[in-house]
Amino acid sequence: MLNRRSYVPLYVQIVDRITEKVNSGELSPGAKLPSERELAQTYDVSRLTARQALQTLVSQGIVYVQQGRGTFVAQSTVRAQLSSFDSFSREMRRRGLEPSSRVLIQRLVQPSSHTRAKLQLSEGDPALQLDRLRLADEVPIALESSFINIRLFPGLENHDLENNSLYDLMGKVYGVYPEWADAEIEAHNVTAPEAEMLQISPHQAVLVTYHLIYNRAFEPLEYVKAFYRSDRFTLYVGRHRLISAEERDKS
């Protein structure tokens, strides 16, 4: 039953209970949820409260609606907060998933002028190109193409970057810690080879993120372009104030 003395709104409590059932496997992907009316009866709340709960679950990507059929549990997705995007390994482990990688390219290259400018490299300076397929519980989640400022990490190209966290190596071996990130998001259709590696349909839309990673002194460490499966990964921007109290009072 719901705790009616709690400061937590009733619809949020319903969301939490349904989310727990999804996470525990009691409600598996594709399972149909009770209707708005049935939820209201089960939890002894108004239909408006039940509707709020369902709408919240939909907005969080936990369930989806099929017009005329009802509400169903969605396939599990990884949800990352864009404003605090961490290393892939730590992000997955925080969500109870086992991360792994397959290195596709690991070599020193002459980067493009665009990448060189991002990393603040001089003409002729090499960068380490690191392309990886990122997986969670053996399911492909993302394709990453990363260019690393090798001047700050000499010899990094010789490390095992398939079985070790890149950011852990940066900190533990070189004493350089990624602390800041700029990020951009776009939507793209993947090519046939990319779709095959991600195990999705050709030309399916994916989320594309561009991250520029800095150390504490705002020296650029890494420039990353990543393709994320939109059916398995969501990016959460977070809650931001649209208007300050001062601006509100003046309006």
Side-chain angles (χ1 to χ4, degrees):
M1 296 299 294
L2 304 181
N3 182 356
R4 298 178 185 277
R5 295 183 178 180
S6 172
Y7 67 89
V8 179
L10 295 177
Y11 83 92
V12 174
Q13 294 184 48
I14 296 173
V15 168
D16 290 343
R17 279 156 177 74
I18 293 175
T19 302
E20 287 172 8
K21 291 181 179 181
V22 171
N23 291 338
S24 69
E26 183 178 342
L27 286 172
S28 56
K32 186 176 182 179
L33 262 62
S35 67
E36 179 185 300
R37 178 179 57 81
E38 290 168 334
L39 274 181
Q41 291 176 346
T42 299
Y43 291 103
D44 191 22
V45 295
S46 69
R47 291 188 63 167
L48 175 60
T49 297
R51 187 179 306 130
Q52 282 182 291
L54 289 174
Q55 289 173 343
T56 301
L57 289 164
V58 169
S59 69
Q60 292 179 350
I62 296 170
V63 303
Y64 64 94
V65 176
Q66 284 193 352
Q67 197 65 35
R69 293 194 59 213
T71 306
F72 300 85
V73 177
Q75 290 287 336
S76 60
T77 61
V78 178
R79 185 171 183 258
Q81 184 160 335
L82 181 63
S83 59
S84 61
F85 201 82
D86 204 345
S87 85
F88 181 87
S89 298
R90 287 196 290 265
E91 194 73 48
M92 296 306 106
R93 290 195 178 102
R94 271 203 296 266
R95 284 152 179 77
L97 302 171
E98 184 58 35
S100 59
S101 299
R102 296 175 193 163
V103 172
L104 307 174
I105 296 175
Q106 182 175 332
R107 65 189 178 194
L108 295 179
V109 298
Q110 286 295 319
S112 68
S113 58
H114 174 75
T115 299
R116 191 166 61 243
K118 289 288 186 182
L119 292 175
Q120 297 177 16
L121 299 176
S122 300
E123 189 169 356
D125 287 345
L128 173 60
Q129 181 181 354
L130 179 62
D131 290 4
R132 291 177 290 179
L133 178 65
R134 313 306 298 268
L135 305 97
D137 287 348
E138 296 302 317
V139 176
I141 296 291
L143 272 173
E144 281 186 1
S145 184
S146 171
F147 291 88
I148 300 162
N149 185 348
I150 200 68
R151 178 178 57 81
L152 298 174
F153 308 101
L156 181 62
E157 69 276 12
N158 300 317
H159 284 269
D160 179 2
L161 297 176
E162 185 160 300
N163 298 303
N164 292 290
S165 165
L166 172 63
Y167 289 176
D168 283 349
L169 283 173
M170 286 180 171
K172 293 175 181 177
V173 177
Y174 296 93
V176 179
Y177 295 89
E179 296 197 27
W180 298 94
D182 290 335
E184 298 177 10
I185 310 173
E186 295 179 355
H188 280 280
N189 291 330
V190 291
T191 63
E194 292 164 345
E196 184 177 357
M197 283 189 283
L198 288 171
Q199 297 179 11
I200 58 177
S201 301
H203 309 299
Q204 180 175 326
V206 294
L207 293 171
V208 183
T209 65
Y210 300 86
H211 279 81
L212 185 56
I213 311 299
Y214 304 89
N215 63 9
R216 179 175 295 181
F218 283 96
E219 293 177 291
L221 310 180
E222 180 189 26
Y223 181 55
V224 191
K225 179 181 180 180
F227 295 84
Y228 286 93
R229 288 180 55 166
S230 57
D231 62 334
R232 294 279 182 167
F233 195 93
T234 60
L235 288 170
Y236 175 58
V237 176
R239 181 177 298 162
H240 299 276
R241 183 184 290 275
L242 298 179
I243 185 170
S244 68
E246 291 81 4
E247 290 171 319
R248 184 192 61 221
D249 292 341
K250 290 178 181 178
S251 62

